[in-house]
Amino acid sequence: MPRIGRHTLPNRVILAPMAGVTDRPFRQLCRELGAGLVVSEMVTSDSRLGTPASRVNA
């Protein structure tokens, strides 16, 4: 069985992250259908979308 660090996966089926496609219900369905590992979609890390300036200076 494949291993990631100390974790052993139940099988070799892995759902890769796909932006706009791998939302939580889809990942849950894939897991129920036998995927050994499911990964959430990637997020955008844009500093303009972060904490408002008023909270940063507080």
Side-chain angles (χ1 to χ4, degrees), residues 3-34:
R3 292 178 51 95
I4 299 177
R6 62 184 175 145
H7 303 283
T8 302
L9 301 179
N11 58 49
R12 296 175 187 244
V13 179
I14 298 173
L15 174 69
M18 300 177 287
V21 178
T22 53
D23 57 354
R24 185 176 180 148
F26 181 74
R27 292 192 314 271
Q28 288 175 326
L29 177 64
C30 291
R31 185 75 171 154
E32 290 172 11
L33 293 174

Side-chain angles (χ1 to χ4, degrees), residues 53-58:
S54 60
R55 295 186 75 198
V56 172
N57 297 328

